[in-house]
């Protein structure tokens, strides 16, 4: 989008590449930063976007979805492959977050096109300025904060992230099912070592059988076929 100027001291000093145009001017970008910082009430200009996903109504919808569909993720297919229904469920999961993003933008009176151009400016700041450079009027937003922001907003689109969420919910539900009836009693967990079978990579689910029960366990980062890791399951 833009030429890189290593000696730039602010994003609005970056010059557009030949033939590339943007609808959001530098002054408008600055105004958006300042307005969002005011809305953040002590946070950075990105806080109003992220705060929308912490609303109790959305958290309740998210928890209901995860708990309601966990039963589909108790185990993989017999050959270790993922079940066909996992893909459309992931799409529903994405759509739930996308709808909330639309609601957040509507509450901020920001059209989606403006938000995309706003993110384009932030990306240029990250690429052309020092990571710890604080954008003026942003409530302390640093140029290097953009990547973490985008990663947080798009996490629902990652199939591996979705699978981890669902497998963790399965483990939670299974733990609650075998917990003793006394409220004060703590659930007993057993730590076992498991080996990743052939064809399964980090982020994918593998079946683990223990005491006659099959569990779907997400393979952690850094593990692959033939490697072992320890996991806690209900005793």
């Amino acid at each position: 989008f833009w030429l890189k100027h290593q000696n730039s001291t602010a994003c609005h000093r970056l010059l557009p590449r030949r033939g590339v145009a943007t609808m959001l001017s530098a002054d408008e970008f600055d105004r958006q930063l300042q307005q969002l910082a005011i809305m953040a009430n002590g946070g950075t200009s990105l806080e109003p976007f992220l705060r929308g996903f912490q609303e109790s109504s959305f958290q309740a919808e998210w928890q209901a979805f995860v708990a309601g569909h966990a039963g589909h993720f108790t185990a993989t297919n017999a050959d270790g492959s993922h079940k066909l229904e996992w893909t459309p469920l992931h799409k529903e999961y994405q759509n739930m977050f996308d709808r909330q993003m639309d609601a957040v933008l509507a509450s901020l009176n920001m059209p989606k096109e403006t938000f995309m151009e706003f993110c384009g400016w932030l990306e240029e700041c990250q690429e052309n300025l020092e990571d710890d450079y604080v954008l003026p009027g942003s409530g302390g937003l640093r140029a290097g904060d953009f990547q973490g922001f985008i990663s947080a907003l798009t996490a629902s689109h990652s199939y591996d992230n979705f699978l981890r969420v669902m497998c963790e919910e399965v483990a939670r539900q299974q733990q609650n099912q075998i917990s003793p009836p006394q409220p004060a009693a703590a659930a007993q967990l057993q730590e076992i070592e498991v080996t990743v079978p052939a064809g399964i990579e980090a982020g994918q689910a593998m079946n683990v059988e223990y005491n006659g029960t099959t569990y779907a366990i997400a393979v952690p980062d850094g593990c692959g076929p033939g490697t072992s890791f320890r996991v806690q399951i209900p005793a």
Side-chain angles (χ1 to χ4, degrees):
F1 292 96
W2 304 81
L3 287 176
K4 183 174 183 179
H5 288 255
Q6 295 180 347
N7 295 325
S8 296
T9 57
C11 283
H12 64 266
R13 295 186 182 180
L14 302 177
L15 301 176
R17 283 180 178 174
R18 185 177 305 172
V20 179
T22 180
M23 295 178 62
L24 190 66
S25 69
D27 289 341
E28 290 170 336
F29 172 69
D30 288 341
R31 283 195 293 272
Q32 289 284 0
L33 274 180
Q34 294 168 9
Q35 183 178 357
L36 289 166
I38 293 173
M39 293 180 181
N41 192 27
T44 74
S45 297
L46 300 183
E47 184 66 25
F49 300 110
L50 300 174
R51 189 179 295 162
F53 291 92
Q54 300 169 357
E55 294 177 354
S56 59
S57 58
F58 176 72
Q59 286 294 308
E61 180 184 5
W62 174 80
Q63 291 172 359
F65 179 96
V66 173
H69 293 92
H72 294 281
F73 296 83
T74 55
T76 63
N77 293 323
D79 61 358
S81 62
H82 293 184
K83 295 183 177 181
L84 293 178
E85 61 262 33
W86 291 6
T87 297
L89 285 174
H90 178 220
K91 184 62 177 177
E92 290 183 35
Y93 188 79
Q94 292 179 52
N95 291 339
M96 177 175 61
F97 278 82
D98 290 344
R99 288 193 302 270
Q100 182 64 12
M101 187 70 223
D102 290 341
V104 170
L105 293 178
S107 71
L108 298 175
N109 196 27
M110 177 181 285
K112 185 176 294 185
E113 294 77 11
T114 301
F115 174 68
M116 297 300 292
E117 294 162 8
F118 178 79
C119 288
W121 273 101
L122 290 177
E123 184 177 19
E124 289 304 317
C125 291
Q126 176 180 270
E127 293 179 355
N128 293 279
L129 302 174
E130 296 294 333
D131 285 348
D132 59 355
Y133 177 84
V134 177
L135 305 184
S138 67
L141 177 65
R142 299 174 303 170
D145 292 339
F146 174 71
Q147 188 58 51
F149 170 67
I150 287 298
S151 295
L153 286 188
T154 60
S156 64
H157 287 249
S158 166
Y159 180 76
D160 289 346
N161 286 341
F162 167 70
L163 190 59
R164 287 190 181 95
V165 169
M166 300 309 299
C167 288
E168 287 171 0
E169 176 62 19
V170 169
R172 187 193 69 81
Q173 291 185 8
Q174 290 174 337
Q175 176 180 326
N176 289 342
Q177 288 173 0
I178 67 165
S179 296
Q182 295 82 0
Q188 297 298 312
L189 298 177
Q190 175 69 42
E191 186 176 89
I192 62 173
E193 185 173 282
V194 297
T195 300
V196 182
I200 303 297
E201 303 292 343
Q204 296 180 325
M206 57 178 281
N207 286 343
V208 174
E209 292 189 9
Y210 185 75
N211 284 345
T213 302
T214 301
Y215 302 92
I217 304 296
V219 178
D221 292 336
C223 293
T227 61
S228 299
F229 65 95
R230 301 191 69 82
V231 62
Q232 287 187 332
I233 59 176

Short mmCIF file of all heavy atoms in Angstrom, two decimals, residues 5-33:
data_model
loop_
_atom_site.label_atom_id
_atom_site.label_comp_id
_atom_site.label_asym_id
_atom_site.label_seq_id
_atom_site.Cartn_x
_atom_site.Cartn_y
_atom_site.Cartn_z
N HIS A 5 9.31 4.37 4.84
CA HIS A 5 10.26 5.42 5.17
C HIS A 5 10.80 5.13 6.56
O HIS A 5 10.10 5.31 7.55
CB HIS A 5 9.59 6.80 5.13
CG HIS A 5 9.26 7.25 3.74
ND1 HIS A 5 9.97 8.22 3.07
CD2 HIS A 5 8.30 6.83 2.87
CE1 HIS A 5 9.45 8.40 1.86
NE2 HIS A 5 8.44 7.57 1.72
N GLN A 6 12.01 4.68 6.64
CA GLN A 6 12.55 4.26 7.93
C GLN A 6 12.70 5.42 8.91
O GLN A 6 12.71 5.22 10.11
CB GLN A 6 13.90 3.58 7.72
CG GLN A 6 13.82 2.29 6.94
CD GLN A 6 15.16 1.64 6.75
OE1 GLN A 6 16.19 2.25 6.99
NE2 GLN A 6 15.17 0.40 6.30
N ASN A 7 12.81 6.64 8.41
CA ASN A 7 13.01 7.78 9.29
C ASN A 7 11.72 8.51 9.60
O ASN A 7 11.74 9.61 10.14
CB ASN A 7 14.01 8.76 8.66
CG ASN A 7 15.38 8.14 8.52
OD1 ASN A 7 15.80 7.35 9.36
ND2 ASN A 7 16.09 8.46 7.45
N SER A 8 10.57 7.92 9.27
CA SER A 8 9.29 8.57 9.54
C SER A 8 9.08 8.69 11.04
O SER A 8 9.45 7.81 11.80
CB SER A 8 8.14 7.78 8.93
OG SER A 8 8.23 7.75 7.53
N THR A 9 8.43 9.76 11.44
CA THR A 9 8.12 9.95 12.85
C THR A 9 6.64 9.83 13.12
O THR A 9 6.22 9.87 14.26
CB THR A 9 8.60 11.34 13.31
OG1 THR A 9 8.00 12.35 12.51
CG2 THR A 9 10.11 11.44 13.19
N ALA A 10 5.82 9.67 12.11
CA ALA A 10 4.38 9.47 12.27
C ALA A 10 3.83 8.86 11.01
O ALA A 10 4.36 9.08 9.92
CB ALA A 10 3.67 10.80 12.57
N CYS A 11 2.74 8.10 11.15
CA CYS A 11 2.19 7.40 9.99
C CYS A 11 1.74 8.34 8.88
O CYS A 11 1.84 8.03 7.71
CB CYS A 11 0.99 6.55 10.43
SG CYS A 11 1.48 5.04 11.26
N HIS A 12 1.20 9.50 9.24
CA HIS A 12 0.66 10.36 8.20
C HIS A 12 1.74 10.98 7.33
O HIS A 12 1.44 11.64 6.34
CB HIS A 12 -0.21 11.47 8.83
CG HIS A 12 0.56 12.41 9.71
ND1 HIS A 12 0.65 12.22 11.06
CD2 HIS A 12 1.26 13.53 9.43
CE1 HIS A 12 1.36 13.20 11.60
NE2 HIS A 12 1.75 14.00 10.64
N ARG A 13 3.02 10.74 7.64
CA ARG A 13 4.10 11.23 6.79
C ARG A 13 4.48 10.21 5.73
O ARG A 13 5.32 10.48 4.88
CB ARG A 13 5.32 11.56 7.64
CG ARG A 13 5.07 12.73 8.60
CD ARG A 13 6.34 13.13 9.32
NE ARG A 13 6.07 14.21 10.26
CZ ARG A 13 7.00 14.76 11.03
NH1 ARG A 13 8.25 14.32 10.97
NH2 ARG A 13 6.68 15.73 11.87
N LEU A 14 3.88 9.02 5.78
CA LEU A 14 4.19 8.02 4.77
C LEU A 14 3.50 8.40 3.47
O LEU A 14 2.37 8.86 3.46
CB LEU A 14 3.69 6.65 5.23
CG LEU A 14 4.28 6.17 6.57
CD1 LEU A 14 3.66 4.84 6.93
CD2 LEU A 14 5.77 6.05 6.46
N LEU A 15 4.18 8.19 2.37
CA LEU A 15 3.64 8.56 1.08
C LEU A 15 3.04 7.36 0.38
O LEU A 15 3.62 6.27 0.40
CB LEU A 15 4.75 9.16 0.19
CG LEU A 15 5.42 10.40 0.75
CD1 LEU A 15 6.56 10.83 -0.18
CD2 LEU A 15 4.42 11.53 0.93
N PRO A 16 1.85 7.49 -0.27
CA PRO A 16 1.24 6.36 -0.95
C PRO A 16 2.02 5.95 -2.19
O PRO A 16 2.63 6.78 -2.85
CB PRO A 16 -0.15 6.89 -1.33
CG PRO A 16 0.03 8.37 -1.43
CD PRO A 16 1.06 8.73 -0.40
N ARG A 17 2.00 4.64 -2.45
CA ARG A 17 2.62 4.16 -3.68
C ARG A 17 1.87 4.72 -4.88
O ARG A 17 0.68 4.99 -4.83
CB ARG A 17 2.58 2.63 -3.72
CG ARG A 17 3.61 1.95 -2.84
CD ARG A 17 3.48 0.45 -2.98
NE ARG A 17 4.49 -0.23 -2.18
CZ ARG A 17 4.53 -1.53 -2.01
NH1 ARG A 17 3.64 -2.29 -2.58
NH2 ARG A 17 5.48 -2.08 -1.28
N ARG A 18 2.59 4.81 -5.97
CA ARG A 18 2.00 5.32 -7.20
C ARG A 18 0.82 4.44 -7.62
O ARG A 18 0.92 3.24 -7.70
CB ARG A 18 3.06 5.34 -8.30
CG ARG A 18 2.61 5.97 -9.60
CD ARG A 18 3.76 5.99 -10.60
NE ARG A 18 4.93 6.66 -10.02
CZ ARG A 18 6.11 6.66 -10.62
NH1 ARG A 18 6.28 6.03 -11.77
NH2 ARG A 18 7.13 7.28 -10.05
N GLY A 19 -0.30 5.07 -7.89
CA GLY A 19 -1.46 4.36 -8.39
C GLY A 19 -2.33 3.76 -7.31
O GLY A 19 -3.35 3.15 -7.60
N VAL A 20 -1.96 3.90 -6.01
CA VAL A 20 -2.76 3.34 -4.93
C VAL A 20 -3.42 4.48 -4.17
O VAL A 20 -2.78 5.45 -3.80
CB VAL A 20 -1.88 2.52 -3.96
CG1 VAL A 20 -2.71 1.97 -2.82
CG2 VAL A 20 -1.21 1.38 -4.73
N ALA A 21 -4.72 4.35 -3.95
CA ALA A 21 -5.47 5.42 -3.29
C ALA A 21 -6.12 4.88 -2.02
O ALA A 21 -6.33 3.67 -1.87
CB ALA A 21 -6.55 5.98 -4.21
N THR A 22 -6.42 5.77 -1.10
CA THR A 22 -7.15 5.39 0.10
C THR A 22 -8.22 6.43 0.36
O THR A 22 -8.04 7.61 0.07
CB THR A 22 -6.20 5.30 1.31
OG1 THR A 22 -6.98 4.93 2.47
CG2 THR A 22 -5.51 6.61 1.59
N MET A 23 -9.36 6.00 0.89
CA MET A 23 -10.47 6.91 1.16
C MET A 23 -10.30 7.58 2.51
O MET A 23 -10.86 8.62 2.76
CB MET A 23 -11.80 6.16 1.09
CG MET A 23 -12.14 5.61 -0.28
SD MET A 23 -13.69 4.69 -0.30
CE MET A 23 -14.84 5.98 0.17
N LEU A 24 -9.54 6.95 3.41
CA LEU A 24 -9.35 7.51 4.74
C LEU A 24 -8.06 8.33 4.75
O LEU A 24 -6.97 7.78 4.65
CB LEU A 24 -9.27 6.37 5.76
CG LEU A 24 -9.30 6.77 7.24
CD1 LEU A 24 -10.66 7.37 7.60
CD2 LEU A 24 -9.03 5.56 8.12
N SER A 25 -8.21 9.64 4.87
CA SER A 25 -7.04 10.50 4.83
C SER A 25 -6.26 10.40 6.14
O SER A 25 -6.74 9.85 7.14
CB SER A 25 -7.47 11.96 4.60
OG SER A 25 -8.15 12.45 5.74
N ALA A 26 -5.06 10.98 6.12
CA ALA A 26 -4.23 10.96 7.32
C ALA A 26 -4.90 11.72 8.46
O ALA A 26 -4.88 11.28 9.62
CB ALA A 26 -2.87 11.57 7.01
N ASP A 27 -5.52 12.85 8.15
CA ASP A 27 -6.20 13.62 9.19
C ASP A 27 -7.39 12.85 9.76
O ASP A 27 -7.65 12.89 10.97
CB ASP A 27 -6.67 14.97 8.62
CG ASP A 27 -5.51 15.91 8.36
OD1 ASP A 27 -4.42 15.70 8.92
OD2 ASP A 27 -5.68 16.86 7.56
N GLU A 28 -8.12 12.15 8.88
CA GLU A 28 -9.26 11.36 9.34
C GLU A 28 -8.79 10.20 10.21
O GLU A 28 -9.44 9.84 11.20
CB GLU A 28 -10.06 10.84 8.15
CG GLU A 28 -10.82 11.94 7.41
CD GLU A 28 -11.41 11.45 6.10
OE1 GLU A 28 -10.89 10.46 5.55
OE2 GLU A 28 -12.39 12.06 5.63
N PHE A 29 -7.65 9.61 9.85
CA PHE A 29 -7.09 8.53 10.67
C PHE A 29 -6.74 9.05 12.06
O PHE A 29 -7.04 8.41 13.07
CB PHE A 29 -5.85 7.97 9.98
CG PHE A 29 -5.08 6.99 10.82
CD1 PHE A 29 -5.60 5.74 11.12
CD2 PHE A 29 -3.82 7.32 11.32
CE1 PHE A 29 -4.88 4.83 11.89
CE2 PHE A 29 -3.10 6.42 12.09
CZ PHE A 29 -3.63 5.17 12.38
N ASP A 30 -6.11 10.23 12.11
CA ASP A 30 -5.76 10.83 13.40
C ASP A 30 -7.01 11.09 14.24
O ASP A 30 -7.03 10.86 15.45
CB ASP A 30 -4.99 12.13 13.19
CG ASP A 30 -3.58 11.89 12.66
OD1 ASP A 30 -3.09 10.76 12.81
OD2 ASP A 30 -2.98 12.83 12.10
N ARG A 31 -8.07 11.59 13.58
CA ARG A 31 -9.32 11.88 14.31
C ARG A 31 -9.94 10.59 14.85
O ARG A 31 -10.47 10.57 15.97
CB ARG A 31 -10.30 12.61 13.40
CG ARG A 31 -9.99 14.10 13.20
CD ARG A 31 -11.18 14.84 12.61
NE ARG A 31 -11.46 14.40 11.25
CZ ARG A 31 -10.90 14.93 10.16
NH1 ARG A 31 -10.02 15.92 10.29
NH2 ARG A 31 -11.23 14.51 8.96
N GLN A 32 -9.88 9.52 14.05
CA GLN A 32 -10.41 8.24 14.51
C GLN A 32 -9.64 7.75 15.73
O GLN A 32 -10.23 7.27 16.71
CB GLN A 32 -10.32 7.20 13.38
CG GLN A 32 -11.28 7.43 12.23
CD GLN A 32 -12.71 7.01 12.57
OE1 GLN A 32 -13.00 6.56 13.66
NE2 GLN A 32 -13.60 7.19 11.61
N LEU A 33 -8.31 7.86 15.68
CA LEU A 33 -7.49 7.45 16.82
C LEU A 33 -7.89 8.20 18.08
O LEU A 33 -8.06 7.61 19.15
CB LEU A 33 -6.02 7.71 16.51
CG LEU A 33 -5.22 6.65 15.75
CD1 LEU A 33 -3.78 7.13 15.57
CD2 LEU A 33 -5.24 5.31 16.47
#
